[in-house]
Amino acid sequence: MLHPVRRLRDALLTIALASTALIAPATTTHAAQATQATRPATSVAATEPGSGYWHTSGRQLLDEANRPVRIAGLNWFGFETANYVPHGLWSRDYKSMIDQIKSLGYNTIRLPYSDDLFKGTSPVSLNTSGGMNADLQGLNSLQVMDKIVDQAGTVGLKVILDRHRPDSTGQSALWYTAAVPESSWISHLGSLAARYAGKPAVIGIDLHNEPHDPACWGCGDPALDWRLAAERAGNAVLAANPRLLVFVEGNQTFNGSSYWWGGNLQGAAQYPVRLNVADRLVYSVHDYATSVAQQSWFTDPSYPANLPGVWDRNWGYLFQQNIAPVWVGEFGTTLQSTVDQQWLKALVQYLRPTARYGADSIGWTFWSWNPNSGDTGGILNDDWTTVNTTKDAYLADVKAPGFGAPGTPGGDVQAPSTPTGLTATGRTASSVSLSWTAATDNVGVSGYDVYRGATLAGTATGTSYTDTGLTAATGYAYTVRARDAAGNVSAASAAVTATTSGAGAGTGCTAGWHLDNQWSPGFTATVTVTATAATKSWSVQWTWPNGQQLTSAWNATAQQTAGAVTATSLAYNGTLAPGGSTTFGLQGTWTGGNAAPTLTCTAA
């Protein structure tokens, strides 16, 4: 994959402030002044959803009362730039900004910063004329951050602090530079954690923004392994405040597979982040559209139907398999192209996989509140006051007025249970028949969506479906989701793989498993295929019982989708006489257990 183009937001201009005259960035126009909010500031009751510090349980975030909560917010950048303060305060009062964020239904602010703040920097282009931002006058940047955190907490918003850059000059691939060594990074993270101890408006810290090549995941090199660095920094944060969440972004490349900077979490299955305090880890990703950079999946013939599969592979599996909560810390677009509009619509749908508006969903903070992000724009228009209603409307389906609250009071927000027992009950050269065990729902299941890979193959009102128009002697992976009349959708079932028969009469075979060698965390195995009748090709399918991951295979073409694996013959070993046999080998990884799978062999 081509390196993502570094977004223009990493080259934002420094704004000079001379006396009370303000010079705005050349790319932005600003209203002279916005009216300060007149709504009285009242503290949010501790009994309301989202109160206190948060923790995790499986893929869910829970508040201090163990109620499911969700992140549905915005990025408000500026602390990380040479302004050393959130942008727009040259035009408006910070309380007015925060009140507007709240009124639009967002519940969280991600605040990017750089380590320059620990040098005692002072805000640049902070307008205090006419009483605007009066209580920020004379404060340094960290003291302004204190004020924003306190105001957000007063109106019921949460804050995630984001270590965006080592300094204001730009983003870094690694978490350290010559000027800002790892020791400084960790020290500053611990300092922030301690600074906001006792202020649960700050629910956590995003350790470093967008690690990318040469940063690796699981390679073991202390200077390059982002997963190990995240453990060191995360544990320092928790030592200072064990009640905070630790947000860990992905990197760019894992085992040769590349993705957005900070968006590749493929390695987290094999190499999970380990923290000293349980239930504090949240994995974070970034995902963007073509207005940021072109990627191969945008030109795939199946676009945009291919997008859920791309997301599943890179980070969605962590949520689907109940491993940990997932938070899309940045995503955005100018919405100028049809491709980008399709991308945002598909991503919003993906962010609520289990229940419409429900707390059991993937968290997010949109990039950005600011209009002056050159390659995405923002929720605010260039006047820093009015709202881009088109962009805001795309997010309506995943916003809520509170943290776990439904969008429609009293509406059904409970998703059906996950379908189980998905089985391939029949195969022809052009079709696969499936059946599954019925899901349950508090009101009633209205139907099922059957997916062939990432593509919706069809729907069913009952618990069976036949997928037609397929290619002979080809393996297909299927999952099923249940839905109810309110639009709530269950998690995907476990995948099952089925291979269509050949164009002629089908024949049979058997397959046997032999574990050759095992070490932590890897293993090798040999599969023996024996024909029960003459074959021209064969396919072996299985589902890993303990979450094993295939890394390579020989003497067969093998691929894995979720836990389901299909291995098919090659040109030289598909033809077998009755009673004849051949073998293929594979290598994989395992954690927790490495029981032998149940193999199904199909021949043509």
Side-chain angles (χ1 to χ4, degrees):
M1 182 188 74
L2 294 176
H3 254 280
V5 176
R6 180 66 268 151
R7 297 190 276 283
L8 295 180
R9 60 184 172 82
D10 283 332
L12 292 166
L13 300 176
T14 300
I15 315 302
L17 176 62
S19 182
T20 60
L22 296 172
I23 303 175
T27 58
T28 315
T29 60
H30 308 294
Q33 185 168 328
T35 304
Q36 295 188 39
T38 57
R39 176 169 55 82
T42 56
S43 296
V44 175
T47 57
E48 292 187 5
S51 61
Y53 285 103
W54 293 5
H55 59 282
T56 72
S57 176
R59 71 187 188 186
Q60 284 198 318
L61 290 168
L62 305 175
D63 68 7
E64 64 181 2
N66 288 319
R67 293 168 295 204
V69 289
R70 59 199 297 264
I71 299 168
L74 296 165
N75 286 266
W76 185 13
F77 65 79
F79 272 126
E80 83 283 16
T81 73
N83 291 88
Y84 306 121
V85 72
H87 287 180
L89 299 189
W90 52 67
S91 187
R92 291 181 63 182
D93 185 87
Y94 77 100
K95 294 179 182 178
S96 172
M97 288 276 211
I98 291 171
D99 284 345
Q100 189 179 17
I101 291 171
K102 171 77 172 181
S103 71
L104 290 172
Y106 300 100
N107 62 30
T108 306
I109 301 172
R110 180 178 183 252
L111 278 181
Y113 71 89
S114 83
D115 291 73
D116 281 352
L117 266 63
F118 297 90
K119 299 177 182 178
T121 57
S122 296
V124 177
S125 299
L126 176 65
N127 191 347
T128 58
S129 64
M132 185 188 302
N133 297 310
D135 55 343
L136 304 185
Q137 190 165 5
L139 301 184
N140 65 31
S141 299
L142 278 175
Q143 290 169 333
V144 172
M145 184 180 283
D146 295 341
K147 290 286 190 178
I148 290 174
V149 165
D150 288 345
Q151 184 64 21
T154 296
V155 303
L157 297 178
K158 293 295 187 180
V159 175
I160 298 171
L161 303 177
D162 157 44
R163 195 279 193 149
H164 208 73
R165 304 170 174 174
D167 57 56
S168 63
T169 61
Q171 174 66 17
S172 62
L174 301 174
W175 53 96
Y176 61 90
T177 63
V180 184
E182 178 177 300
S183 58
S184 296
W185 170 60
I186 291 179
S187 174
H188 294 159
L189 288 170
S191 176
L192 275 183
R195 186 181 190 93
Y196 295 112
K199 292 188 175 183
V202 176
I203 54 171
I205 301 179
D206 188 344
L207 299 179
H208 178 62
N209 185 67
E210 295 184 352
H212 53 276
D213 296 346
C216 62
W217 190 292
C219 66
D221 184 342
L224 298 176
D225 194 330
W226 165 237
R227 173 253 199 168
L228 295 179
E231 291 177 349
R232 295 190 293 271
N235 286 326
V237 166
L238 294 172
N241 183 356
R243 303 182 72 186
L244 286 176
L245 295 173
V246 173
F247 295 91
V248 179
E249 296 186 27
N251 64 328
Q252 180 185 354
T253 304
F254 179 75
N255 282 350
S257 176
S258 291
Y259 196 59
W260 293 107
W261 292 2
N264 191 333
L265 283 167
Q266 295 178 35
Q270 183 176 351
Y271 303 105
V273 173
R274 303 154 300 183
L275 298 176
N276 293 336
V277 180
D279 303 327
R280 295 296 182 271
L281 172 66
V282 179
Y283 286 112
S284 176
V285 297
H286 293 180
D287 205 281
Y288 278 95
T290 60
S291 62
V292 172
Q294 182 61 250
Q295 305 287 6
S296 59
W297 46 90
F298 294 127
T299 56
D300 188 283
S302 63
Y303 182 85
N306 64 320
L307 288 175
V310 172
W311 297 325
D312 286 349
R313 180 171 64 255
N314 284 285
W315 45 272
Y317 75 94
L318 293 164
F319 180 86
Q320 293 163 359
Q321 297 178 24
N322 201 37
I323 294 172
V326 176
W327 168 55
V328 184
E330 291 184 20
F331 64 108
T333 167
T334 60
L335 279 182
Q336 295 303 302
S337 71
T338 300
V339 170
D340 284 24
Q341 294 162 12
Q342 293 171 326
W343 167 83
L344 185 55
K345 181 178 179 180
L347 182 56
V348 167
Q349 175 68 28
Y350 190 83
L351 293 179
R352 54 176 184 87
T354 58
R356 186 175 179 86
Y357 306 108
D360 185 19
S361 57
I362 296 170
W364 55 274
T365 42
F366 188 73
W367 187 277
S368 60
W369 177 239
N370 310 48
N372 61 330
S373 179
D375 50 4
T376 65
I379 294 297
L380 288 182
N381 291 317
D382 284 346
D383 60 6
W384 285 94
T385 301
T386 61
V387 173
N388 183 323
T389 54
T390 300
K391 193 172 289 187
D392 184 64
Y394 270 83
L395 305 173
D397 259 4
V398 285
K399 280 198 293 184
F403 291 96
T408 304
D412 176 22
V413 298
Q414 181 173 324
S417 65
T418 304
T420 59
L422 179 61
T423 305
T425 57
R427 305 173 181 87
T428 70
S430 61
S431 68
V432 171
S433 296
L434 304 163
S435 68
W436 56 89
T437 302
T440 59
D441 185 65
N442 61 318
V443 175
V445 174
S446 61
Y448 298 87
D449 296 329
V450 180
Y451 285 85
R452 183 193 322 114
T455 301
L456 180 64
T459 61
T461 55
T463 57
S464 63
Y465 178 80
T466 297
D467 189 21
T468 59
L470 306 179
T471 302
T474 303
Y476 297 93
Y478 292 93
T479 56
V480 176
R481 296 176 184 261
R483 50 184 163 76
D484 63 18
N488 302 308
V489 182
S490 77
S493 69
V496 65
T497 300
T499 301
T500 52
S501 62
T507 56
C509 58
T510 61
W513 174 274
H514 181 265
L515 183 66
D516 299 322
N517 192 18
Q518 179 174 294
W519 65 96
S520 182
F523 69 93
T524 58
T526 297
V527 176
T528 300
V529 177
T530 302
T532 58
T535 71
K536 295 180 180 179
S537 65
W538 48 260
S539 175
V540 179
Q541 304 88 32
W542 68 89
T543 299
W544 293 119
N546 299 105
Q548 296 98 321
Q549 293 290 319
L550 178 72
T551 57
S552 62
W554 48 96
N555 296 332
T557 298
Q559 61 181 10
Q560 181 169 350
T561 303
V565 182
T566 298
T568 56
S569 59
L570 302 176
Y572 61 83
N573 64 357
T575 301
L576 297 173
S581 64
T582 187
T583 63
F584 67 92
L586 58 91
Q587 183 170 334
T589 61
W590 63 281
T591 55
N594 193 23
T598 300
L599 307 181
T600 300
C601 188
T602 305

